[in-house]
Amino acid sequence: MNIVWFVVRRLLATALLLAVLSFLIFSLLYLAPGDIAKNLLGTKAVTPEALAAVRAQYHLDDPFLAQYWHWLSGVLTGDWGTSIRSGLPVADEIASRAGITVRLIVMGFLIAALVSIPAGVWAARRRGTWVDRTLVSGAVVGVSAPGFAVGLLLLFVFAVTLRWFPVYGTGEGFWGQLWHLTLPAIALAVGLGALVVQLTRAAVVRELDADYVTFQRSRGLSEARVMGTVLRNAAIPIVTSLGLMVTYLVGGTILVEVVFGLPGLGTQLQQAVLFKDVPVVQALTLITGLLVCLISLAVDLLYLAIDPRILRKAVTA
């Protein structure tokens, strides 16, 4: 098995997982109590004419598998359906809000990664000192704090009391948007960054206790070269934690966007659930699942770049 076959296997597994996920997402519509057509109408007035139009639009009189295939073929060609709430194409609704969520996720990831990884390495190198105990204690508090609670605290302190940041809104221009998204990104990054600190510290401590570190130091290698080897060997669990972090960021934006009043995909999903806008809920759920699968695939490929021995292990597995 070469690297191409390894990648093909991962792609096929991802495609199969997405197919199963799409079937489950579509099936959720049928698990909801009540008439499917009435659920699709949401809060609109239910009349016999409206029910008949919905049943014709969504092919509800067709067999279940035929309905699923019709929906899936539309998704594959870019037709996500029509929003019940606004009457606009779902794809356009999502595209108009995706920018805010993408910027928020990127900012949250950068803040968490750039702070937590160096903090975890520092704590490992200062194991048992007050620095280590302080960072670990702070990480425990950060992991325990819900994102929405952190957001409310940040709003009260830095937006309402000190007035350093805006209370809500997205701002104008690049720097204006960056300024408005700073507090939400920090709220999103706190809990995940704290988890990465703990995982990074544990991975680096394990490597520092390995025999090769003692051997390298006994040969007179510089501490920078020793730490370079340590970090390379500790990279697998760190990359795993970063992958988990991005996965959580994709789903964790909902509460943060609601708290800060951001018109992103998280707020859109919350509103779609409240108004029973089933096509939007289905589309956003499938997109979330797709992003999670792609992140997992990217993490697998990063493993190969960090440690090619993984490929040999996959051959013998």
Side-chain angles (χ1 to χ4, degrees):
M1 184 199 312
N2 54 26
I3 189 171
V4 175
W5 177 235
F6 180 85
V7 173
V8 168
R9 282 184 56 187
R10 288 293 186 268
L11 289 173
L12 291 175
T14 301
L16 178 60
L17 180 59
L18 286 173
V20 174
L21 182 63
S22 67
F23 183 80
L24 293 176
I25 290 172
F26 184 79
S27 301
L28 289 177
L29 176 62
Y30 288 81
L31 297 178
D35 186 7
I36 298 174
K38 292 181 179 178
N39 291 335
L40 288 170
L41 280 171
T43 58
K44 294 181 180 180
V46 178
T47 63
E49 293 78 11
L51 286 174
V54 168
R55 299 190 73 85
Q57 178 182 355
Y58 292 93
H59 305 271
L60 295 180
D61 294 326
D62 295 343
F64 173 76
L65 291 179
Q67 296 178 45
Y68 167 69
W69 175 248
H70 183 271
W71 173 77
L72 182 61
S73 59
V75 169
L76 294 176
T77 56
D79 181 11
W80 297 79
T82 303
S83 171
I84 296 171
R85 185 184 179 197
S86 65
L88 299 175
V90 172
D92 294 343
E93 286 271 288
I94 293 176
S96 65
R97 292 175 176 245
I100 295 294
T101 300
V102 170
R103 286 191 287 271
L104 179 59
I105 290 174
V106 171
M107 286 184 64
F109 175 80
L110 291 177
I111 292 172
L114 294 178
V115 173
S116 59
I117 294 178
V121 174
W122 192 24
R125 297 189 65 184
R126 300 292 187 274
R127 183 176 19 167
T129 65
W130 67 270
V131 173
D132 181 28
R133 289 191 292 269
T134 301
L135 289 174
V136 171
S137 299
V140 171
V141 174
V143 170
S144 305
F148 71 91
V150 174
L152 291 174
L153 179 62
L154 293 175
L155 273 177
F156 177 76
V157 175
F158 296 102
V160 177
T161 304
L162 299 177
R163 298 185 180 181
W164 291 354
F165 294 91
V167 177
Y168 63 91
T170 59
E172 298 291 336
F174 175 78
W175 294 110
Q177 291 184 356
L178 189 68
W179 192 245
H180 279 72
L181 291 177
T182 299
L183 282 185
I186 293 174
L188 198 59
V190 166
L192 291 174
L195 179 61
V196 174
V197 168
Q198 294 177 329
L199 294 175
T200 300
R201 178 190 178 276
V204 174
V205 165
R206 183 176 62 250
E207 295 301 325
L208 287 174
D209 290 337
D211 294 336
Y212 72 85
V213 174
T214 304
F215 178 70
Q216 286 185 331
R217 286 172 174 166
S218 67
R219 293 181 57 195
L221 270 66
S222 65
E223 191 64 20
R225 291 189 62 182
V226 173
M227 286 305 302
T229 306
V230 167
L231 292 178
R232 185 170 62 251
N233 292 333
I236 293 293
I238 294 175
V239 169
T240 302
S241 66
L242 291 178
L244 293 174
M245 181 172 65
V246 178
T247 300
Y248 177 83
L249 286 173
V250 172
T253 56
I254 298 176
L255 292 177
V256 172
E257 287 183 3
V258 171
V259 169
F260 288 89
L262 298 174
L265 297 180
T267 305
Q268 185 181 31
L269 179 59
Q270 182 251 357
Q271 293 172 348
V273 171
L274 289 177
F275 285 88
K276 296 182 179 180
D277 197 344
V278 177
V280 174
V281 174
Q282 288 178 326
L284 289 176
T285 306
L286 186 59
I287 289 173
T288 302
L290 173 62
L291 290 176
V292 171
C293 290
L294 292 178
I295 291 167
S296 299
L297 178 62
V299 170
D300 286 342
L301 296 180
L302 278 175
Y303 287 167
L304 291 181
I306 295 171
D307 188 355
R309 292 175 299 177
I310 294 177
L311 184 61
R312 291 195 295 269
K313 293 178 181 178
V315 174
T316 58

